Amino acid sequence: MTKKRPESNFIYCLIFPPIYLLGMLPYFILNALIGRPLFFLSYAVFRYRYNVVLQNLSRALPLKSYREIELLAREFYLHLASMIVEIIRLFSISRQQQLKQVKLVNAEILDEYFSRQRNVIAVLGHYGNWECLNVLPLLLPFQVNAIYKRLSNSVMAKLVTRVRGRHGMRLIPAQRALRHLLRQTEKPQFSLFIADQFPGKHAECQVDFLSQPTLMFNGAEKLARATNAVVVYVDMIPQGRHSWTVSLSLITDTASTTAENLITHAFSNRLEQTITRQPAYWLWSHRRWKV
C-alpha cells in the first residue's frame, strides 16, 4: 500500500488543477463542454449500465409502461451528466455562488436540539446531488460531518475529500463514527449518513421498498440508538438543472427507545416517497438489488 501512495499523489496533482480550472467556468459552458457529450456517450454510445437501469426502473415502478421506463432512463442519464458537471464546479465555485444553488428549509426544527446539545443523525439516499450538501457547515450552527465508507481508489478518495471538506465538513469513516460522537462534547454534531446502499446478502433488516423486498443497511439506526441522537430525513428537491431545495423532517428524537428497525423502515418509506415523486434523480445505475 505504501508504494502506491507517491503514485496516487502524483496522479492527483496531475488531474486536480484541470478540474479546478474547469470548475471556474459558468455552468452552461461546462455543460456544453462536458455534460452534453457525457450524456450522449453514456446513454447513446456506450450504454453505461443501461440494462441495470432499465431493470431497476421496471422492478421499482411496475405500473409504468415500457415507453415510460425508457423515457425515465433517458432523464436519469441527463441527470447523471448534469450532476457530474455540478460536482466539477464544486471544486472551485465560490461560497456565494453555491449558497445561491442550495436552499435549506425546515432547519428551524434543529434549533431546540442545538440548544440542548443534542447530536443529529441525518439520513438520506443517493438522490439528487448529495455532494452539494458540503455547503451545510455554512448554513447550520452544528459541526457537520459526513460518515462514509472508505473508497478503494486513493485518487478518488482525495478528490472526494477535497470537495466535501471545502466549507468545513468533517469526514468520518463509518467504523470510527460511534467513537467520535461519544467523545465530542464541545459542540453538537450533525452527521450525514447515506443509508440506501446495498448492505450485503446477510443484512439483518429487510423492508418493502420500491415494490419489492429489499435488504437495507441499518448502520445509521444503530449509531443513532447507541448515542440517543435525533434522527432527521434529508429530502432533496430539484429546482432546475443545478439548484436544490434541501428539506429536513424529523424521524425521531428518542432513538434509544425506538423499536428495532423502526428508524430504518421510516427512512426507507420517506426515501420511496422522494423517489416516486421524481424518479429520474435517484442513482438507478447502482446494482441495488443483488441476487
Side-chain angles (χ1 to χ4, degrees):
M1 294 296 291
T2 54
K3 292 182 179 178
K4 294 182 180 180
R5 287 177 184 172
E7 180 183 350
S8 65
N9 288 337
F10 176 72
I11 296 173
Y12 172 80
C13 291
L14 276 181
I15 65 177
F16 175 73
I19 293 176
Y20 185 88
L21 292 174
L22 281 171
M24 298 177 71
L25 295 173
Y27 178 85
F28 73 94
I29 295 178
L30 192 56
N31 191 48
L33 289 175
I34 293 180
R36 292 176 187 172
L38 188 59
F39 163 70
F40 176 74
L41 290 172
S42 62
Y43 174 70
V45 179
F46 298 110
R47 298 295 233 186
Y48 169 70
R49 292 191 176 182
Y50 189 68
N51 290 335
V52 174
V53 172
L54 286 185
Q55 184 182 58
N56 283 342
L57 282 165
S58 299
R59 290 174 62 175
L61 305 169
L63 298 182
K64 299 285 186 183
S65 68
Y66 186 73
R67 179 57 180 162
E68 289 174 313
I69 294 296
E70 286 186 314
L71 290 174
L72 280 174
R74 184 180 184 278
E75 289 180 30
F76 162 71
Y77 283 97
L78 280 169
H79 161 63
L80 189 63
S82 177
M83 186 174 72
I84 291 173
V85 170
E86 286 185 51
I87 292 173
I88 291 173
R89 296 195 73 224
L90 291 179
F91 281 92
S92 48
I93 189 173
S94 70
R95 290 185 176 189
Q96 292 74 19
Q97 285 179 302
Q98 192 173 352
L99 286 170
K100 290 178 181 178
Q101 294 176 5
V102 178
K103 180 183 179 182
L104 180 63
V105 299
N106 296 339
E108 63 275 4
I109 69 172
L110 301 177
D111 292 345
E112 175 189 355
Y113 304 119
F114 180 79
S115 65
R116 291 164 53 191
Q117 296 285 300
R118 295 285 304 277
N119 288 338
V120 177
I121 303 291
V123 287
L124 65 154
H126 286 92
Y127 187 89
N129 180 8
W130 54 92
E131 296 296 351
C132 74
L133 297 177
N134 71 337
V135 78
L136 287 181
L138 304 178
L139 299 171
L140 295 174
F142 294 78
Q143 168 59 51
V144 179
N145 310 314
I147 299 173
Y148 74 104
K149 181 180 178 180
R150 291 186 185 274
L151 298 175
S152 57
N153 186 301
S154 58
V155 176
M156 285 300 301
K158 289 177 183 290
L159 292 172
V160 168
T161 300
R162 181 83 181 213
V163 167
R164 293 181 181 175
R166 273 195 74 198
H167 305 301
M169 182 181 288
R170 181 181 296 155
L171 274 67
I172 304 173
Q175 63 271 25
R176 298 181 186 174
L178 178 59
R179 183 187 309 171
H180 173 85
L181 293 181
L182 290 174
R183 287 182 175 179
Q184 295 299 315
T185 58
E186 295 182 1
K187 189 175 185 179
Q189 310 283 297
F190 181 94
S191 302
L192 292 161
F193 205 121
I194 298 179
D196 64 342
Q197 59 266 56
F198 180 66
K201 297 179 181 179
H202 304 293
E204 301 171 353
C205 183
Q206 179 174 292
V207 301
D208 291 322
F209 178 63
L210 291 175
S211 306
Q212 56 206 302
T214 302
L215 294 173
M216 190 67 71
F217 187 65
N218 61 355
E221 173 172 340
K222 288 181 176 179
L223 184 61
R225 286 166 61 88
T227 60
N228 195 30
V230 178
V231 183
V232 300
Y233 175 68
V234 180
D235 192 4
M236 299 196 71
I237 305 164
Q239 304 294 332
R241 272 291 170 197
H242 58 284
S243 297
W244 301 91
T245 293
V246 178
S247 178
L248 306 179
S249 60
L250 180 68
I251 291 180
T252 182
D253 59 3
T254 56
S256 63
T257 60
T258 58
E260 187 175 1
N261 293 329
L262 185 147
I263 293 171
T264 303
H265 278 270
F267 160 70
S268 67
N269 288 337
R270 297 197 194 186
L271 179 60
E272 182 174 315
Q273 292 172 17
T274 296
I275 294 169
T276 53
R277 183 183 63 224
Q278 290 181 282
Y281 294 95
W282 196 49
L283 192 62
W284 295 103
S285 57
H286 179 52
R287 291 185 173 90
R288 181 59 184 81
W289 294 278
K290 299 180 183 180
V291 295

